[in-house]
Amino acid sequence: MSEAKSAEDTVWVPLDSLRVGEDGINFIGRIISLRQSLDRKGRPYFYGFVGDGNTSIPYVAFREMPFKVGDVIEVRGARVEEWDEEVRVAIPTRAEVRRSERVDVAYPKVFEEEKMAKIGEIKSGDEELTLEAVVLDMERSQVTVRGRKRDLLKGVLGDETGKVHFTSWRLTGLELGGSYRIKGVYVKSYRGRMEVIIDEWSTIEPLESEKRIKLPKSYLRNIASIKKGGGGLDVEIEGFISYVSPRSGFSLSCPECERKLKDGICAIHGEVKGFYNLRVWVRVTDNTSTIEVLIPRVVAQKLLNLDSGELLKVLTESPGEVGREEFLKIIRKKLAALPVRVVGDVIYREKRPAMIVAKSIQPIKWAEIKGSLPTLDDFLGGAT
Ligand SMILES: [Zn+2]
């Protein structure tokens, strides 16, 4: 029988005494996290953390791991390696991995302390979070992963502090409008869009009716907190326009996606008949910081109160750079130092500060700006 090796024969090495370079070792541990990824050749592998009563360490497994978070596993024939300056156990294809009935393997501390998170504070790279949130929007979608179509859910989650996009690989358990406690999610950003990922190993529990999430009327935040992270949908800021960028103006854009054309070519849609799209770039400053705000055409037209005749006049009477200069003059006059309330979505950019794409901008009175305004020194020191 292959089960011949009895437990007594096996030497189980505690996780805190593993040494880099050891091979063929046996250990018992509880799975703290379990994720799947693909190697360079497109083959799946698994990784995460395992823990025993004393410590937790990263592992990587080059074999199927038909287990779930919380399971205790017995691994025979693992290797200990150094990875990213840490000790990691590698579970090769030939290793033997079994679910263990042992209950004396304690969860390490890190797992006991559940990481409750608020959507207004999460940031890309956060892992193993627990959120309590309401599903504000949800639809079924499909992606192709390695030639295979997979169904998933896409939508928006909200709590008292913010709203964020989500993708769920679990197709059941969530309903539009429902409030849930969602455990074991992680956060990533794709093309500046922050997203909460609910995967096969996450758990979803409906909240009791008295714990249902109540959303605020708006997500008013200060600019410094927005730059730190947090679900960035429909955030609201109050400040004044401290800079109008000369990048503002009209440019030939793709009618499909509104991307700026290069020599009549859209990066996505190829050769298209462009239209003159208006975009205004400004910076908005409050008493905590300054952020770049992109004002798309529809919002800009309303804010600038430009009727199309006025726009057309600028464009046709003085095309090219002259038109741009004229236009800048007009908008600077209207926008410079204007106190505003901006509602929009935050774009988190790599290596550059976050920015906001405005959905609405409303002029307000100086007195309406919450909190104290920056002094001239703050402004000169921090705005540009
Ligand atoms: Zn396009």
Side-chain angles (χ1 to χ4, degrees), residues 246-281:
R247 275 199 288 162
S248 305
F250 295 88
S251 51
L252 266 182
S253 305
C254 171
E256 294 265 338
C257 64
E258 303 205 352
R259 274 184 183 76
K260 205 169 160 176
L261 299 184
K262 265 183 199 148
D263 304 321
I265 308 276
C266 167
I268 304 292
H269 297 98
E271 198 170 327
V272 289
K273 191 175 184 296
F275 76 105
Y276 278 100
N277 191 18
L278 168 62
R279 296 179 139 205
V280 175
W281 295 87

Short mmCIF file of all heavy atoms in Angstrom, two decimals, residues 246-281:
data_model
loop_
_atom_site.label_atom_id
_atom_site.label_comp_id
_atom_site.label_asym_id
_atom_site.label_seq_id
_atom_site.Cartn_x
_atom_site.Cartn_y
_atom_site.Cartn_z
N PRO A 246 -2.09 74.41 -20.36
CA PRO A 246 -2.12 74.71 -21.80
C PRO A 246 -2.39 73.47 -22.66
O PRO A 246 -2.57 73.60 -23.87
CB PRO A 246 -0.71 75.28 -22.07
CG PRO A 246 0.12 74.83 -20.93
CD PRO A 246 -0.79 74.63 -19.75
N ARG A 247 -2.42 72.30 -22.04
CA ARG A 247 -2.82 71.10 -22.79
C ARG A 247 -4.31 71.15 -23.14
O ARG A 247 -4.78 70.37 -23.97
CB ARG A 247 -2.60 69.86 -21.92
CG ARG A 247 -1.21 69.31 -21.99
CD ARG A 247 -1.21 67.88 -21.50
NE ARG A 247 -1.40 67.79 -20.07
CZ ARG A 247 -1.78 66.68 -19.44
NH1 ARG A 247 -2.04 65.59 -20.11
NH2 ARG A 247 -1.92 66.67 -18.13
N SER A 248 -5.04 72.04 -22.47
CA SER A 248 -6.49 72.11 -22.70
C SER A 248 -6.78 72.58 -24.11
O SER A 248 -6.04 73.38 -24.68
CB SER A 248 -7.10 73.12 -21.73
OG SER A 248 -6.77 72.79 -20.41
N GLY A 249 -7.86 72.08 -24.67
CA GLY A 249 -8.24 72.55 -25.99
C GLY A 249 -8.88 71.45 -26.81
O GLY A 249 -9.31 70.42 -26.28
N PHE A 250 -8.92 71.73 -28.11
CA PHE A 250 -9.56 70.78 -29.02
C PHE A 250 -8.50 69.92 -29.68
O PHE A 250 -7.45 70.41 -30.07
CB PHE A 250 -10.31 71.53 -30.12
CG PHE A 250 -11.45 72.33 -29.57
CD1 PHE A 250 -11.25 73.62 -29.13
CD2 PHE A 250 -12.71 71.77 -29.49
CE1 PHE A 250 -12.30 74.35 -28.61
CE2 PHE A 250 -13.77 72.49 -28.98
CZ PHE A 250 -13.56 73.80 -28.54
N SER A 251 -8.81 68.64 -29.84
CA SER A 251 -7.91 67.81 -30.64
C SER A 251 -8.75 66.78 -31.37
O SER A 251 -9.79 66.35 -30.88
CB SER A 251 -6.86 67.16 -29.76
OG SER A 251 -7.49 66.53 -28.68
N LEU A 252 -8.24 66.40 -32.56
CA LEU A 252 -8.94 65.40 -33.36
C LEU A 252 -8.94 64.08 -32.60
O LEU A 252 -7.88 63.58 -32.21
CB LEU A 252 -8.23 65.22 -34.71
CG LEU A 252 -8.77 66.05 -35.87
CD1 LEU A 252 -8.01 65.73 -37.13
CD2 LEU A 252 -10.27 65.80 -36.08
N SER A 253 -10.12 63.53 -32.38
CA SER A 253 -10.23 62.34 -31.55
C SER A 253 -11.07 61.28 -32.24
O SER A 253 -11.84 61.57 -33.15
CB SER A 253 -10.87 62.71 -30.22
OG SER A 253 -10.14 63.74 -29.61
N CYS A 254 -10.92 60.05 -31.75
CA CYS A 254 -11.66 58.92 -32.30
C CYS A 254 -13.12 59.01 -31.87
O CYS A 254 -13.41 59.18 -30.70
CB CYS A 254 -11.03 57.63 -31.79
SG CYS A 254 -11.98 56.16 -32.18
N PRO A 255 -14.04 58.87 -32.84
CA PRO A 255 -15.46 58.96 -32.47
C PRO A 255 -15.92 57.78 -31.61
O PRO A 255 -16.92 57.88 -30.91
CB PRO A 255 -16.17 58.97 -33.82
CG PRO A 255 -15.21 58.39 -34.80
CD PRO A 255 -13.84 58.68 -34.28
N GLU A 256 -15.16 56.67 -31.66
CA GLU A 256 -15.56 55.48 -30.89
C GLU A 256 -15.14 55.63 -29.42
O GLU A 256 -15.93 55.38 -28.52
CB GLU A 256 -14.84 54.24 -31.44
CG GLU A 256 -15.26 53.87 -32.84
CD GLU A 256 -16.35 52.81 -32.83
OE1 GLU A 256 -16.48 52.11 -31.80
OE2 GLU A 256 -17.06 52.71 -33.83
N CYS A 257 -13.89 55.98 -29.20
CA CYS A 257 -13.36 55.91 -27.83
C CYS A 257 -12.86 57.25 -27.33
O CYS A 257 -12.40 57.35 -26.19
CB CYS A 257 -12.24 54.86 -27.77
SG CYS A 257 -10.82 55.29 -28.76
N GLU A 258 -12.91 58.29 -28.17
CA GLU A 258 -12.49 59.64 -27.80
C GLU A 258 -11.00 59.77 -27.51
O GLU A 258 -10.54 60.77 -26.97
CB GLU A 258 -13.33 60.18 -26.62
CG GLU A 258 -14.81 60.17 -26.92
CD GLU A 258 -15.61 61.19 -26.13
OE1 GLU A 258 -15.07 61.82 -25.23
OE2 GLU A 258 -16.81 61.36 -26.47
N ARG A 259 -10.21 58.73 -27.88
CA ARG A 259 -8.76 58.88 -27.75
C ARG A 259 -8.26 59.88 -28.79
O ARG A 259 -8.80 59.96 -29.88
CB ARG A 259 -8.05 57.54 -28.00
CG ARG A 259 -7.95 56.68 -26.79
CD ARG A 259 -7.16 55.41 -27.09
NE ARG A 259 -7.13 54.55 -25.92
CZ ARG A 259 -8.15 53.82 -25.52
NH1 ARG A 259 -9.27 53.79 -26.22
NH2 ARG A 259 -8.07 53.08 -24.43
N LYS A 260 -7.20 60.57 -28.42
CA LYS A 260 -6.59 61.52 -29.34
C LYS A 260 -5.98 60.76 -30.52
O LYS A 260 -5.31 59.75 -30.34
CB LYS A 260 -5.50 62.27 -28.57
CG LYS A 260 -5.18 63.62 -29.12
CD LYS A 260 -4.29 64.34 -28.10
CE LYS A 260 -3.54 65.48 -28.78
NZ LYS A 260 -2.75 66.24 -27.82
N LEU A 261 -6.22 61.25 -31.75
CA LEU A 261 -5.66 60.56 -32.92
C LEU A 261 -4.23 61.01 -33.17
O LEU A 261 -3.86 62.15 -32.89
CB LEU A 261 -6.51 60.89 -34.15
CG LEU A 261 -7.98 60.49 -34.13
CD1 LEU A 261 -8.61 60.81 -35.49
CD2 LEU A 261 -8.15 59.02 -33.81
N LYS A 262 -3.43 60.07 -33.68
CA LYS A 262 -2.10 60.42 -34.13
C LYS A 262 -2.07 60.21 -35.64
O LYS A 262 -2.22 59.09 -36.11
CB LYS A 262 -1.05 59.52 -33.46
CG LYS A 262 -0.46 60.17 -32.24
CD LYS A 262 0.64 59.32 -31.61
CE LYS A 262 0.86 59.75 -30.17
NZ LYS A 262 1.26 58.65 -29.31
N ASP A 263 -1.90 61.27 -36.40
CA ASP A 263 -1.95 61.21 -37.86
C ASP A 263 -3.21 60.50 -38.35
O ASP A 263 -3.14 59.64 -39.25
CB ASP A 263 -0.70 60.51 -38.43
CG ASP A 263 0.58 61.18 -37.95
OD1 ASP A 263 0.60 62.42 -37.88
OD2 ASP A 263 1.54 60.45 -37.62
N GLY A 264 -4.33 60.83 -37.75
CA GLY A 264 -5.60 60.25 -38.18
C GLY A 264 -5.83 58.81 -37.76
O GLY A 264 -6.79 58.18 -38.17
N ILE A 265 -4.93 58.27 -36.91
CA ILE A 265 -5.03 56.86 -36.50
C ILE A 265 -5.33 56.78 -35.00
O ILE A 265 -4.65 57.42 -34.19
CB ILE A 265 -3.70 56.11 -36.76
CG1 ILE A 265 -3.22 56.32 -38.21
CG2 ILE A 265 -3.82 54.64 -36.39
CD1 ILE A 265 -3.82 55.40 -39.23
N CYS A 266 -6.35 55.97 -34.66
CA CYS A 266 -6.62 55.69 -33.25
C CYS A 266 -5.85 54.43 -32.85
O CYS A 266 -5.82 53.46 -33.59
CB CYS A 266 -8.11 55.47 -33.02
SG CYS A 266 -8.49 54.75 -31.41
N ALA A 267 -5.21 54.48 -31.68
CA ALA A 267 -4.41 53.34 -31.21
C ALA A 267 -5.26 52.07 -31.11
O ALA A 267 -4.75 50.96 -31.21
CB ALA A 267 -3.80 53.67 -29.86
N ILE A 268 -6.55 52.22 -30.92
CA ILE A 268 -7.43 51.06 -30.76
C ILE A 268 -8.20 50.77 -32.05
O ILE A 268 -8.29 49.63 -32.50
CB ILE A 268 -8.45 51.29 -29.61
CG1 ILE A 268 -7.73 51.64 -28.30
CG2 ILE A 268 -9.38 50.10 -29.44
CD1 ILE A 268 -6.93 50.52 -27.69
N HIS A 269 -8.76 51.83 -32.64
CA HIS A 269 -9.70 51.61 -33.74
C HIS A 269 -9.13 51.88 -35.14
O HIS A 269 -9.85 51.85 -36.12
CB HIS A 269 -10.96 52.45 -33.51
CG HIS A 269 -11.69 52.06 -32.28
ND1 HIS A 269 -11.56 52.74 -31.08
CD2 HIS A 269 -12.52 51.03 -32.02
CE1 HIS A 269 -12.30 52.15 -30.14
NE2 HIS A 269 -12.89 51.11 -30.69
N GLY A 270 -7.84 52.16 -35.22
CA GLY A 270 -7.21 52.35 -36.52
C GLY A 270 -7.60 53.65 -37.17
O GLY A 270 -7.81 54.66 -36.50
N GLU A 271 -7.70 53.63 -38.51
CA GLU A 271 -7.99 54.85 -39.23
C GLU A 271 -9.46 55.20 -39.09
O GLU A 271 -10.34 54.41 -39.45
CB GLU A 271 -7.63 54.67 -40.72
CG GLU A 271 -7.50 56.00 -41.44
CD GLU A 271 -6.91 55.83 -42.84
OE1 GLU A 271 -6.08 54.92 -43.03
OE2 GLU A 271 -7.30 56.60 -43.73
N VAL A 272 -9.74 56.36 -38.54
CA VAL A 272 -11.13 56.78 -38.33
C VAL A 272 -11.29 58.24 -38.75
O VAL A 272 -10.32 58.97 -38.87
CB VAL A 272 -11.57 56.63 -36.86
CG1 VAL A 272 -11.72 55.18 -36.45
CG2 VAL A 272 -10.59 57.34 -35.93
N LYS A 273 -12.54 58.63 -38.97
CA LYS A 273 -12.80 60.03 -39.25
C LYS A 273 -12.96 60.72 -37.90
O LYS A 273 -13.91 60.49 -37.17
CB LYS A 273 -14.10 60.13 -40.08
CG LYS A 273 -14.34 61.52 -40.66
CD LYS A 273 -15.57 61.51 -41.57
CE LYS A 273 -15.76 62.86 -42.24
NZ LYS A 273 -16.05 63.93 -41.26
N GLY A 274 -11.99 61.54 -37.57
CA GLY A 274 -11.96 62.13 -36.24
C GLY A 274 -12.96 63.27 -36.06
O GLY A 274 -13.49 63.80 -37.03
N PHE A 275 -13.20 63.61 -34.82
CA PHE A 275 -14.00 64.80 -34.52
C PHE A 275 -13.21 65.65 -33.52
O PHE A 275 -12.33 65.15 -32.82
CB PHE A 275 -15.37 64.43 -33.97
CG PHE A 275 -15.34 63.98 -32.53
CD1 PHE A 275 -15.80 64.80 -31.51
CD2 PHE A 275 -14.84 62.72 -32.19
CE1 PHE A 275 -15.77 64.39 -30.19
CE2 PHE A 275 -14.80 62.31 -30.88
CZ PHE A 275 -15.26 63.14 -29.89
N TYR A 276 -13.51 66.93 -33.46
CA TYR A 276 -12.80 67.80 -32.53
C TYR A 276 -13.36 67.63 -31.14
O TYR A 276 -14.47 68.06 -30.85
CB TYR A 276 -12.87 69.26 -32.98
CG TYR A 276 -11.85 69.56 -34.04
CD1 TYR A 276 -12.19 69.60 -35.39
CD2 TYR A 276 -10.52 69.76 -33.67
CE1 TYR A 276 -11.22 69.84 -36.35
CE2 TYR A 276 -9.55 70.00 -34.63
CZ TYR A 276 -9.90 70.05 -35.96
OH TYR A 276 -8.94 70.27 -36.90
N ASN A 277 -12.57 66.99 -30.31
CA ASN A 277 -13.00 66.74 -28.94
C ASN A 277 -12.39 67.80 -28.03
O ASN A 277 -11.24 68.18 -28.20
CB ASN A 277 -12.54 65.36 -28.50
CG ASN A 277 -13.18 64.93 -27.20
OD1 ASN A 277 -14.20 65.50 -26.79
ND2 ASN A 277 -12.61 63.93 -26.56
N LEU A 278 -13.19 68.24 -27.09
CA LEU A 278 -12.71 69.25 -26.15
C LEU A 278 -12.35 68.60 -24.82
O LEU A 278 -13.12 67.82 -24.27
CB LEU A 278 -13.82 70.29 -25.93
CG LEU A 278 -13.62 71.27 -24.76
CD1 LEU A 278 -12.38 72.12 -24.96
CD2 LEU A 278 -14.85 72.15 -24.61
N ARG A 279 -11.14 68.90 -24.35
CA ARG A 279 -10.74 68.44 -23.02
C ARG A 279 -10.07 69.59 -22.31
O ARG A 279 -9.24 70.28 -22.88
CB ARG A 279 -9.75 67.29 -23.13
CG ARG A 279 -10.33 66.08 -23.79
CD ARG A 279 -9.32 64.99 -23.89
NE ARG A 279 -9.96 63.74 -23.59
CZ ARG A 279 -9.35 62.65 -23.12
NH1 ARG A 279 -8.06 62.68 -22.89
NH2 ARG A 279 -10.01 61.57 -22.88
N VAL A 280 -10.42 69.77 -21.06
CA VAL A 280 -9.80 70.82 -20.28
C VAL A 280 -9.08 70.16 -19.09
O VAL A 280 -9.66 69.33 -18.40
CB VAL A 280 -10.85 71.84 -19.78
CG1 VAL A 280 -10.21 72.88 -18.87
CG2 VAL A 280 -11.52 72.52 -20.97
N TRP A 281 -7.81 70.52 -18.93
CA TRP A 281 -7.01 69.99 -17.81
C TRP A 281 -6.77 71.11 -16.82
O TRP A 281 -6.26 72.16 -17.20
CB TRP A 281 -5.66 69.49 -18.32
CG TRP A 281 -5.72 68.33 -19.24
CD1 TRP A 281 -5.89 68.35 -20.59
CD2 TRP A 281 -5.62 66.94 -18.88
NE1 TRP A 281 -5.89 67.08 -21.10
CE2 TRP A 281 -5.73 66.20 -20.07
CE3 TRP A 281 -5.45 66.27 -17.67
CZ2 TRP A 281 -5.68 64.80 -20.09
CZ3 TRP A 281 -5.40 64.88 -17.70
CH2 TRP A 281 -5.51 64.17 -18.90
#
